[in-house]
Structures are given as C-alpha cells and as structure tokens.
Amino acid sequence: MVQRTPAGRIAENRFLAAGIALIVIAVAVTVAIVNSGNDDVGSSLTEPGSQAETTEGSDTSAGESGAKSDPQSTTGSGTVTAPALIPGLPGSPSAKPCSPGKTDATGVTNDTITIGQIVTDSNQIPQQLRPAHEGLQAFINLFNESGGLCKRKLRLEYRNDNLNPATHNQDARELASRVFAFVANESLLDFLDYQRRPPFEPTVRGGEGFVPDVGGLAFSYGRSQSSWHGGVIGSVSPTLVGGGPYKFYMQEQKAKGTPCRKGGVVYLREPTGASEDQARLGQVSLEESWGGGLGRGNTQLYSANLLDPVPAYEALVDRMVADGMNCAFTYTDLQSSTNMAQAMNNRGVWPPDKCRRGNQCFRVFSVVLSVYDRKFIQDAGEGARSVSTFIPHVPLVETSNASMRAYLDALKSVRGARPSTFSILGFTSGVMFVQALQACPEAPTRKCVIDALHGMKNFTGGGLLGGTTPFRTTRATYGSFGTFNWKWIFDKSVIMRVADRNGKRDFYRVGPSTGFLTNVIHVARGSPG
C-alpha cells in the first residue's frame, strides 16, 4: 500500500466558500476510474500491495438519541439489497400492500413523510447547486404520482441559505425539529452542521435527536465523513485517492505516440485552502506508478486567483510551457476551467489537432466534472474541444437506459429544470431515501433509516449511478485528524470528452464503450491505520 505525505500544510477544516462550489469535487478527478488499456466494461487494474483495504458498511449505525457511532467498528448493519422498491422507477418490483402503522417519528403522519433540503442557490454560483433541488423535486413528483409507499407520500420543505451562515443555521435548526430526515442537501455551508474533527458528529439535532442526512455530495470533511451522512456518490476525504483518470490518459497518449512528459496541476488561491488541498492529492496520483506514473520531479503545482480573467491564465500557460509541461489538470470551478481552456487556445497550445507548436503542444487537458455542462462548451469555444472529464452517472444522452428516460421525463414536471449532474444527484438522493425507508415502511423511525443506510451496498439510484457503498471505509492515520475509518468517494465512472461529431459539439463517451470503469483507491497521504 502506498504511504505518502507530500509537502504542504495539513488541511484540517476544508470547506467551500463563495464562488468555489465545485472545488472539493476535484477529489473525484483522481478517484474516478482505472482502465487496463482497453474499453472493457468495468475493467480495472489492481497493483499488489497498493489497493486500500476496505470494510463495506463498516460503521455501527447511530442510535435514535444521537449516540455516537464507533468509527473503528467492523460490525455492519443489515444489507439493503437491490432492486429497490421505488414506485415509478423502471425495474422496481411491486411493493407489497401495507398500511401506515403507529410511529412517533418527527415529520411522519399517516399520509405524509416530511423531508427537508437546504441548498445554496446564490447568484455567485448560478445553475450549479439549485439543480439538486430540481432533481429531488422531480423524484418526489414521480414517487407521489406512483402512489407513494405504504399510503404515505413525500412532502418537501425546501430552504435556500443564500450563502448566509445565519440563515443556514436558522434553517438547519428549524428543519431538524420538523422533518424526518434531510435529503439531498447541497449547501456550501455544510461545515457548520458537523464537528470538524473525528468522529464528525452533527452540531444540530431536533425531535428524537440527530437527523439522518441522506444523499447529496458533502463539501466539508466533517459532513462527508460523519456516521449520520450517506452520500449518493460517496464521500470526500483528506487521505484517499485513486489514479484512474491519469493512468487512462497516459496509456492513451502513449498509444498515440504523443506521451505526457510533465504534468501541471492548477489550483485556486482561496481562503479555505480546499483547492490546493485536493490538488496536492491529485499531484500524488499523477506521480505514482498506480496513477499517471510521471514520477517525482515531473509534476508541478500552479496557482491562480478565484476571479482571474483569461489574460492571467494566458500568463500561467506561458509559465507552464516554459517549465516543459505538456499536460494540464485543473482543480478549479467551472468559470476558472473555462478561462484556462480559452487561454490555452489563445496561446496556440490547445486543442491538439490545431496546435502547430511542436513539442510545446499540450496533449491532455483534464478538468473536474463541473464542466459537464453546455455552458462550458459555449463559453470556452475552440478551447473546449478535446477537454476530458468524468461523471459518476450514465451520460445524459444515453436514453436507452430506462432509468435515464424516467429521470428525464420526471424532470419535465419541474418548471425550468434542465438535466445536469447535480440534478441527478438530487434525484438519486430521493431514491436512496426511499430505498432506506423500505426497511420500515409501515412505521418509519430515524434509527431504522440510518441503520439501513449503513447497510446499503452498491447503490445505483435505480440504475443511474455506477454504484456506491456509502459507508465503505479505509482505515488510515493522517495529520492531526489521527486514525479514522475514512469513507470512499465513488469508484465507478465514465470518461467524457468534448468533440465535434455529425456537426454537433458535445461531450461524448470515451471509455468504456458501455457501462462504467472501476477504480482502485489508495492511501495517498498519511499512512494505513
């Protein structure tokens, strides 16, 4: 197993601030996929001694009173198996008839189960996090129209914290006392809701105690690693990473005879340090043999300011060229990645098929999944072509997938909603909640639902996702966090690349030809616990 602690300060309390909603997602760039050099579905490359040891669903579930889960425990809860009984989703078996039973759970009546959602829908990050609300609402509409579960329908109490800490705290306290569970929260302020050190317990309680936090993608380590939160695509951590995308890119370029010599990793200078923190994880995987294999000394970190314009990125590109870099990897938000793409095109080093600068041409430009958006293609212009990213779900255009068709049809019930990655995360969060609810449909309790989440394995959101075990963990010791069972982010995804085909510029699937690629996770910082 790889043991590595790169230079740089230890990040204890990483969270996202204004304008950088998608930085922490950059963790997933180095966790997404491994390809063995072909397009076989689900292919993976395992190197002896390098794969992280795991326990699936290993954390003991928390009690109704808010008692702590034991992060060192290896005793799991009962497994929730697929296919789930999700009314309205293709392939879901018919639920057995049942009637509401007696329960004193907060937010539950004989007719409804009330859930809460807090999203940061700020004009500083337009159309990035609101889709999580639209996707959840689309699922609720589909679920309720299909009759609900045990004669109960879902009722949503939605809040926009508008990136205001006081508003967020008030919303969290109010909802905790009124709703059965949080579902698909996507707030940049989620670090306020949890302790910032192990065992990462919630800071908010209401009703019977702590509130189950179901689905979504957590931005802070406190929330992502808490025993009370189960993410639909797993959880970010400061220690674990994979080398899949980099290995894929390097093998691809070697086969073309245009290999990467050196890799430049770009992060943002911003108050939280989140972008740099995750970029350093990416640098490790770019260097190691289980990732990019470039070796130490052949990578370099570059920084930019959050709102740097295109000319500033042109100067950055010039520095990278002077340093001998010919592959680039950004750990930045959507707009910054767009500016970088434009700058590379303006400097004549990108896209590869238009470059006439010989060995100064860039061969790989990889960005975080926030660019899986028509806005990136429109705004980056020629610089968008050949840019690579990855997604943890079935591509939006693959409507041969019955669940994708069901999602797209359901989304039409939400005025103004457009398909996107965060919308799918919202939709599948609803699926995850109802799937956990299957453990106690007649008389739901918070304890029952959180227990079911801890036992859930290979969650696919009804076939939309590659598959995640929300509480799959690897034990590792890192900095002042100490020794902890760190949850995984998703390890199955699809590589997408911008290209012109049949007169249309869009993101197209690169690997694999169908299905998902599976990654190998490593302890990249700190040491195995």
Side-chain angles (χ1 to χ4, degrees):
M1 187 177 298
V2 176
Q3 300 183 27
R4 177 78 180 273
T5 304
R9 58 192 175 86
I10 296 173
E12 291 187 23
N13 304 315
R14 300 307 192 199
F15 55 88
L16 297 184
I20 54 172
L22 298 161
I23 292 173
V24 165
I25 296 175
V27 167
V29 170
T30 50
V31 181
I33 48 178
V34 163
N35 186 14
S36 61
N38 54 49
D39 282 342
D40 292 340
V41 178
S43 61
S44 63
L45 181 64
T46 304
E47 298 183 19
S50 65
Q51 186 173 4
E53 297 175 359
T54 65
T55 54
E56 296 192 22
S58 62
D59 293 317
T60 303
S61 50
E64 201 66 38
S65 64
K68 294 181 179 180
S69 298
D70 178 9
Q72 317 305 338
S73 172
T74 57
T75 302
S77 307
T79 299
V80 178
T81 57
L85 304 175
I86 310 298
L89 276 188
S92 295
S94 299
K96 296 179 180 180
C98 64
S99 297
K102 180 176 175 54
T103 178
D104 296 324
T106 300
V108 180
T109 70
N110 285 343
D111 301 315
T112 61
I113 298 176
T114 300
I115 57 177
Q117 183 186 35
I118 304 176
V119 169
T120 297
D121 181 18
S122 167
N123 58 11
Q124 298 180 57
I125 50 167
Q127 292 305 309
Q128 291 191 354
L129 296 182
R130 178 173 175 78
H133 170 58
E134 297 169 345
L136 177 60
Q137 187 62 63
F139 172 78
I140 291 173
N141 294 345
L142 174 64
F143 178 80
N144 289 345
E145 289 173 6
S146 301
L149 181 64
C150 217
K151 300 181 180 179
R152 291 189 180 98
K153 296 186 177 182
L154 294 180
R155 176 178 174 270
L156 177 63
E157 290 213 13
Y158 169 69
R159 301 289 186 274
N160 170 20
D161 65 22
N162 225 351
L163 204 60
N164 184 310
T167 300
H168 180 92
N169 285 333
Q170 179 179 343
D171 290 342
R173 288 193 299 268
E174 175 195 0
L175 291 179
S177 65
R178 296 170 54 181
V179 304
F180 179 74
F182 290 110
V183 180
N185 279 1
E186 290 297 352
S187 169
L188 300 188
L189 303 175
D190 65 7
F191 66 93
L192 296 172
D193 302 330
Y194 290 86
Q195 297 172 348
R196 301 186 189 183
R197 296 180 59 80
F200 304 116
E201 293 287 63
T203 58
V204 177
R205 66 171 64 209
E208 305 87 78
F210 292 147
V211 184
D213 183 358
V214 185
L217 173 66
F219 296 125
S220 66
Y221 293 152
R223 180 182 174 213
S224 67
Q225 295 298 322
S226 175
S227 63
W228 284 87
H229 172 255
V232 287
I233 57 171
S235 299
V236 296
S237 83
T239 62
L240 305 180
V241 75
Y246 295 156
K247 182 173 285 290
F248 179 93
Y249 301 143
M250 299 309 158
Q251 291 177 342
E252 184 180 47
Q253 292 308 127
K254 285 181 180 179
K256 292 179 179 179
T258 54
C260 287
R261 298 185 308 272
K262 293 185 177 182
V265 183
V266 182
Y267 68 89
L268 295 178
R269 289 188 293 266
E270 38 77 25
T272 73
S275 183
E276 180 181 359
D277 190 35
Q278 301 308 323
R280 289 189 179 277
L281 271 173
Q283 184 182 25
V284 174
S285 61
L286 187 60
E287 294 174 346
E288 296 292 349
S289 61
W290 43 262
L294 289 181
R296 301 182 191 181
N298 291 320
T299 65
Q300 189 166 327
L301 291 172
Y302 296 85
S303 62
N305 295 313
L306 178 59
L307 300 177
D308 274 351
V310 172
Y313 279 94
E314 290 175 346
L316 186 149
V317 170
D318 289 341
R319 292 198 302 273
M320 295 176 74
V321 170
D323 292 336
M325 305 293 151
N326 72 333
C327 291
F329 308 85
T330 64
Y331 285 74
T332 62
D333 64 309
L334 172 60
Q335 187 58 55
S336 298
S337 296
T338 300
N339 291 350
M340 177 78 174
Q342 290 178 325
M344 292 174 67
N345 180 249
N346 292 348
R347 282 296 187 255
V349 297
W350 188 264
D353 64 339
K354 296 296 184 180
C355 179
R356 299 295 182 267
R357 294 182 61 173
N359 62 4
Q360 292 182 342
C361 295
F362 276 61
R363 303 305 180 184
V364 172
F365 182 25
S366 175
V367 294
V368 297
L369 60 81
S370 62
V371 304
Y372 188 60
D373 190 307
R374 291 295 306 175
K375 180 175 174 58
F376 174 76
I377 294 176
Q378 294 165 2
D379 293 352
E382 278 297 291
R385 285 202 305 111
S386 297
V387 170
S388 300
T389 188
F390 71 96
I391 53 176
H393 56 78
V394 174
L396 292 169
V397 297
E398 295 185 4
T399 55
S400 59
N401 180 291
S403 292
M404 177 57 71
R405 290 199 306 273
Y407 156 73
L408 294 172
D409 287 343
L411 200 62
K412 295 175 183 176
S413 69
V414 182
R415 179 176 298 179
R418 295 189 303 176
S420 71
T421 291
F422 269 95
S423 174
I424 288 178
L425 296 188
F427 187 89
T428 54
S429 294
V431 176
M432 175 177 275
F433 173 69
V434 173
Q435 186 170 335
L437 202 62
Q438 299 294 335
C440 47
E442 293 89 354
T445 65
R446 286 175 172 175
K447 182 181 186 303
C448 171
V449 167
I450 200 69
D451 283 352
L453 284 176
H454 277 259
M456 195 173 287
K457 299 180 187 297
N458 193 34
F459 172 78
T460 67
L464 287 171
L465 306 174
T468 302
T469 296
F471 289 89
R472 188 178 190 180
T473 61
T474 291
R475 190 176 178 84
T477 301
Y478 178 64
S480 60
F481 286 121
T483 302
F484 193 70
N485 280 11
W486 297 97
K487 297 185 207 169
W488 284 29
I489 192 95
F490 64 95
D491 62 348
K492 297 180 180 64
S493 58
V494 179
I495 293 182
M496 305 292 290
R497 185 167 296 154
V498 179
D500 294 332
R501 296 182 184 176
N502 300 320
K504 181 180 181 181
R505 180 169 297 173
D506 205 343
F507 284 96
Y508 294 95
R509 175 190 280 265
V510 177
S513 56
T514 59
F516 293 82
L517 293 172
T518 301
N519 193 29
V520 178
I521 304 297
H522 304 262
V523 177
R525 304 170 84 184
S527 60

